[in-house]
Each structure stands twice: as structure tokens, then as C-alpha cells.
Amino acid sequence: MYYMGVDIGTTNTKAVLFDEKNNLIDIESFGYKIIKNKDDRFQEQDPETIFYGVLNVIKNLKEKYDLNEKNLKFISFSAMMHSLILIDDNDEVISNCIIWADRRSESITDEYKTNYKAHKFYAISGTPAHPMSPFYKILWFKRNKKNLFMKTKKFISIKDYIFFKLFGKYITDYSIASATGLFDIRTLKWSEEIINEIGIDKSNLSEVVPTTHILKGINSDYKELENIKNVDFIVGASDGCLANLGSNSINKNVAAVTIGTSGAIRTSCDQAYTDEQGKTFCYYLDENLYIIGGAINNGGIAYEWIIQKLFSDDKDYKDLDNRLKSVKEGSDGLIFIPFIFGERAPYWDSSLKGSFLGIKSNHTKDHFLKACVEGICFSIKDVLNSISSLSNGIKKINLNGGIFQSEEWIKTFSDISGIELNLYETHESSALGAIILGKKAVGEIKDLNDFSFDISEIKKYYFNSEKHEFYKKRFELYKEGINLLYKFNKKI
């Protein structure tokens, strides 16, 4: 028996096939790009391309392994958060897919931050006040594209769109809904107060369903999926929440760190929790299971930026690892503030800028590369400090995300965090999380904690005490640099 997890991400969609012993059998991937715009605040993708990618990866695995309704137990979904698509009365798309990185609603977000409403709505929804939030994106359309706003029947996410295309229903799961800024994470309903603020009602949004909700009967238009049309399709959850589940990080004092295009550190709690200062998010995963933490904009995307600027098309990652290894801790005094694309946690300020501090004439490309890695790791450490107090201290961190295929990245983060790190052999934690959630949906497990992880696949990393003490001092300088530049960044 096979199980398929589909992970709809920022740069690609993956279909990951597992067997009944939870072994990863194969992966199919379909990539796509962000649409270029003269105004870099606009970050959009083509929803049709993403939908085609979903069909493509499922079809390829189906044909490769002769999957059918007898040998494929289910397909379960993971998807990126904070996306927004506008749909008209004819169920036609009238906007691109506006992704989490979009910053067009900066001024509206700042306006709300100056009054009590931003924090009040955060306390209800668990979504921090930031342009990533669909709440602020919809307000932007109301104020700046009034005609388009008035034509819109539905404001939906990319996952909602996929399921509408496949099944003809507008549905969204509690997890994706909890990242919209429109959803009450305690009542598990659309917040009347928040949607009234925009001037829309529940009919303009998708029906909300549990993350274990099952659909069957794919639209007959998709002949390529004909022989799996009655397989169980599990609606699933958001990629961040499922990354925690898929990396065995839903227990007390355990966190998951993901660094892909962006980055995040997350831990779990058994009830909805929001921070008095609004520094962390709180998203729904399952009954009595919420994921709290913070996401950073500048993960792998900032690393790719420095590689492109300094090494052009030279992307030999083994060579890059050797370059990182050749530079001592601290990058000879060079500090990188990695806010190239603004920043989310713990500052939630899209106007922040990146900086290199302490540049000297003897610094080489390798110093800048190493400082970049250290800066991104400091950024994760900054969020770690915010969530540690919420969970009575983090004792262990489970790593996932493609960046952690690099030993030098892991060692650097280990020494900066000062916490035991665990790396699982599979890097597809969101897809595995979708599988675990699916197994609960179909009754194979009663509780998410009943899933058995193969602990033989874990590689452990322990920090170097001397280097950790050194990095603690460097981290304080990093924080001081952010504070000193904060007002200056607002002016440029």
C-alpha cells in the first residue's frame, strides 16, 4: 500500500510517495517562479501554473508506480500559508496568487499598528500584523483596486483553489484559515469582527473544515487522474505546521527549525496562545494542538542572493561549504543583518533593510559568505529567544529544510543556538507530516503522537561550548546593530 503527500511550496510543488512502513519511495517535483514586477513589493505567482504542477507531480507518480484505487490509500496535502487569490462570480481567477512575501500593504499595516486594532485582531486570529496577512492584502485591494474588489466573489488561498479545481468546492482547512488574519483560532470560525472591518462576509470566504477532512470524486475533466478519482484526498494543513509534525516536533520543549526559501522556528502547545507583544504566531494543526513560533523572510533566499552576487552562476555547494569552513567563527568582525526582504518575526516590519557591518579591506568573498550564514542563524536565534519563554525552554531542536544538507550550516547553527540538534534523514518533513495527518483521518492512528518515527534515521549534533560562548557575544552585537539602524532604515 502506498501513501502520497503533496507539498505546495513557494518555489515548487512536490509529490512524495511513502510505503506502508513509512519509507520514502520517490519524489516528483515541479518548479515555478515568482512573476517579476517593477515594484519589488509585489510578489505574485500564476495559480494555473501551480495547479498544473500539482496535476503533473501526482500524474507522474501515478504512472511510474501504476497507482490506483486499490494500492494508493490516500493523497494528503500541505501548502504554503498567507496566499491570496481573487475569484469572480463566474468562478474565474481575476488576480495572480499573491504570496506570503508580498509587501504592497505596508502602509496599511503600519496604519493599523498605530491603533489598537492591529493587536486586537492579532489576539483573535494568531496572525501577526504584517503585509503577509491576507487581511491586509484584501484591505489593499479595497483601497487601491476598488473595481476588482467589488467584482470578487471569493477571497481564497492557493490550496482552496486547487481543491476547487479538483472537486468544485470552496473549502479551506482550519490550519490555512488560521494564517489568514481573518479566523478566530479559539472558536474555529471566521471572525465576524475582523471580516466586518474589511466589509465582506463569510460568503466571500471558503467553508472551513478540519485538517482531517476527506474529499472523494475528482472532477471528470482530469482524465489523467481517472483511476484514482475515488482515492481519499485529505485536505491537510499548512506547510509550517506539518513540518513540525513530520519532524517529530509536537512535544513539550521540542522545536522545529526549517530553513528553505524563508525560515521558521516553531514549537507546540495544547491551546491557542498569543504573545502580549505580538512577536509570535499561533496556527492550528489539530484538536488541542497549536503551533506557535515565528517565521523569517530571509532564509535560503538571502543565502542565494549572496551567492548570486558574489559567485554568479557558481553553485557548487560542496565548494561553498569548503569556503565556509575556511573562515573562522565571527567572520573576522563582519556582521550581516539579513533583512534583504524586510523581516517578519520577531520585528514584523517589512521596511527593515539588510546591512553588512564592520567591513574591512582584508575581507574576502568567503568572509561575506560566512557572515551571511551567521546572520541568518542569528535571526533564527532571535526568534528562538521569543518562543523559549512561551514553552518553558527549548531543550531540543529538530532540523528540516534543504539548507541543512550542509554540514557547515548545521555546525554554525548548533554553536549559535547552544541546543542539541537532530537531523532526520528525510528532508521532506511537511510531506511526511501530511501523511501522518492523513493516517489519523482514515483511522490508521487515533492520535498524532501514535505515529512511530524511525529513530535510527536521526543524526545528532552537539554544540561546542567555547564557540557558543563566543557567539553569545556576537549575537549581542548583532542585536545592537539592529537597534542602532532601526530608525535609519525607516528613512532610506
Side-chain angles (χ1 to χ4, degrees):
M1 186 62 71
Y2 292 105
Y3 305 79
M4 190 186 300
V6 175
D7 183 17
I8 304 163
T10 308
T11 56
N12 58 51
T13 287
K14 296 177 184 176
V16 187
L17 196 66
F18 294 85
D19 66 15
E20 55 198 5
K21 294 182 179 179
N22 307 314
N23 296 310
L24 193 158
I25 303 301
D26 204 351
I27 302 173
E28 282 286 333
S29 179
F30 182 92
Y32 33 79
K33 295 182 179 180
I34 294 171
I35 297 167
K36 289 186 177 179
N37 194 296
K38 290 180 181 179
D39 187 339
D40 72 351
R41 295 175 305 160
F42 287 60
Q43 300 285 306
E44 303 177 344
Q45 293 177 317
D46 176 22
E48 279 302 317
T49 300
I50 297 174
F51 177 67
Y52 175 79
V54 171
L55 284 182
N56 185 269
V57 294
I58 294 174
K59 177 179 72 71
N60 288 350
L61 282 183
K62 179 187 77 71
E63 292 175 353
K64 204 182 223 182
Y65 293 90
D66 194 24
L67 300 176
N68 54 61
E69 292 170 10
K70 292 182 178 179
N71 66 6
L72 180 61
K73 185 71 176 179
F74 59 70
I75 302 176
S76 187
F77 283 77
S78 161
M80 58 179 162
M81 294 177 273
H82 314 303
S83 59
L84 178 68
I85 301 170
L86 277 55
I87 305 291
D88 69 10
D89 285 332
N90 298 314
D91 296 315
E92 296 290 336
V93 171
I94 53 173
S95 75
N96 284 319
C97 176
I98 302 161
I99 65 170
W100 58 268
D102 192 274
R103 308 191 312 279
R104 73 185 69 189
S105 62
E106 282 176 337
S107 61
I108 298 172
T109 308
D110 288 343
E111 172 195 324
Y112 270 76
K113 282 181 177 179
T114 62
N115 62 44
Y116 71 96
K117 287 182 179 179
H119 192 75
K120 183 180 183 182
F121 292 165
Y122 159 72
I124 294 170
S125 70
T127 304
H130 188 271
M132 70 179 184
S133 170
F135 168 74
Y136 295 105
K137 290 171 181 168
I138 297 172
L139 277 174
W140 183 90
F141 275 98
K142 183 178 182 180
R143 295 187 186 184
N144 296 277
K145 298 287 183 181
K146 187 75 172 180
N147 289 341
L148 208 55
F149 176 84
M150 297 302 294
K151 286 180 183 177
T152 302
K153 177 179 82 171
K154 292 285 186 182
F155 299 94
I156 65 173
S157 77
I158 185 61
K159 196 206 272 190
D160 303 9
Y161 182 66
I162 300 302
F163 279 107
F164 175 76
K165 294 280 281 186
L166 291 175
F167 297 98
K169 297 178 181 179
Y170 288 110
I171 61 167
T172 194
D173 61 81
Y174 292 159
S175 184
I176 290 292
S178 68
T180 62
L182 306 168
F183 189 69
D184 188 322
I185 55 174
R186 292 169 182 85
T187 65
L188 303 182
K189 296 177 181 178
W190 296 118
S191 167
E192 295 282 358
E193 182 176 1
I194 296 175
I195 63 177
N196 286 344
E197 177 75 14
I198 301 174
I200 61 174
D201 59 43
K202 289 185 288 187
S203 68
N204 299 121
L205 303 169
S206 297
E207 176 192 354
V208 284
V209 297
T211 53
T212 51
H213 187 75
I214 298 173
L215 289 169
K216 284 186 178 183
I218 297 172
N219 189 321
S220 58
D221 290 346
Y222 305 111
K223 302 296 183 186
E224 58 268 59
L225 304 182
E226 180 66 28
N227 61 342
I228 60 168
K229 67 178 294 184
N230 289 313
V231 166
D232 288 344
F233 275 65
I234 317 298
V235 175
S238 66
D239 53 2
C241 291
L242 289 173
N244 268 58
L245 180 57
S247 61
N248 197 18
S249 306
I250 58 169
N251 297 307
K252 190 177 180 181
N253 305 126
V254 179
V257 168
T258 304
I259 301 182
T261 306
S262 57
I265 180 163
R266 304 169 298 266
T267 189
S268 64
C269 57
D270 59 7
Q271 60 186 346
Y273 179 92
T274 49
D275 173 44
E276 286 184 5
Q277 294 180 299
K279 287 186 174 183
T280 56
F281 57 65
C282 180
Y283 300 141
Y284 180 96
L285 176 53
D286 194 23
E287 299 168 287
N288 303 315
L289 183 58
Y290 290 80
I291 301 299
I292 56 174
I296 63 169
N297 282 355
N298 302 279
I301 195 170
Y303 190 51
E304 289 295 323
W305 173 82
I306 198 75
I307 292 169
Q308 186 181 53
K309 298 300 181 186
L310 297 182
F311 302 97
S312 62
D313 294 325
D314 179 10
K315 286 195 179 180
D316 181 342
Y317 288 101
K318 188 175 180 181
D319 175 61
L320 292 171
D321 256 21
N322 289 333
R323 289 175 178 273
L324 291 172
K325 199 172 183 178
S326 71
V327 179
K328 283 192 68 176
E329 297 77 28
S331 306
D332 194 18
L334 191 61
I335 293 176
F336 179 51
I337 309 296
F339 305 151
I340 304 300
F341 300 95
E343 194 48 286
R344 286 184 282 174
Y347 306 100
W348 302 104
D349 190 340
S350 58
S351 70
L352 291 177
K353 313 292 191 306
S355 309
F356 278 100
L357 306 178
I359 300 172
K360 296 185 291 191
S361 61
N362 64 310
H363 285 146
T364 66
K365 291 192 293 185
D366 297 350
H367 286 97
F368 282 89
L369 188 70
K370 178 85 168 189
C372 178
V373 172
E374 290 175 333
I376 295 168
C377 290
F378 283 146
S379 186
I380 292 286
K381 168 71 173 172
D382 210 356
V383 185
L384 171 62
N385 289 350
S386 296
I387 69 168
S388 289
S389 59
L390 305 182
S391 58
N392 297 316
I394 301 298
K395 304 292 191 295
K396 182 171 67 174
I397 293 175
N398 295 326
L399 305 176
N400 48 81
I403 212 79
F404 290 123
Q405 295 179 46
S406 161
E407 285 280 320
E408 289 305 309
W409 266 91
I410 296 172
K411 288 175 182 176
T412 301
F413 182 63
S414 174
D415 293 334
I416 286 174
S417 69
I419 296 174
E420 175 192 326
L421 306 181
N422 290 337
L423 180 69
Y424 285 81
E425 286 298 311
T426 175
H427 299 286
E428 304 303 331
S429 56
S430 293
L432 178 57
I435 297 298
I436 299 169
L437 193 62
K439 290 196 172 199
K440 182 183 178 186
V442 300
E444 287 196 12
I445 57 175
K446 288 185 178 180
D447 187 270
L448 296 179
N449 279 307
D450 293 340
F451 183 82
S452 179
F453 283 85
D454 183 358
I455 60 172
S456 66
E457 292 187 346
I458 300 173
K459 190 172 182 181
K460 294 183 179 293
Y461 292 84
Y462 299 96
F463 65 94
N464 178 297
S465 298
E466 188 177 326
K467 291 179 180 179
H468 177 57
E469 288 302 315
F470 170 80
Y471 273 130
K472 277 167 64 172
K473 295 174 183 175
R474 297 295 295 174
F475 178 71
E476 291 306 315
L477 287 174
Y478 165 87
K479 290 282 288 180
E480 190 176 339
I482 292 172
N483 293 333
L484 288 170
L485 290 170
Y486 198 86
K487 288 184 179 179
F488 179 73
N489 276 331
K490 290 282 188 182
K491 297 177 181 178
I492 60 173

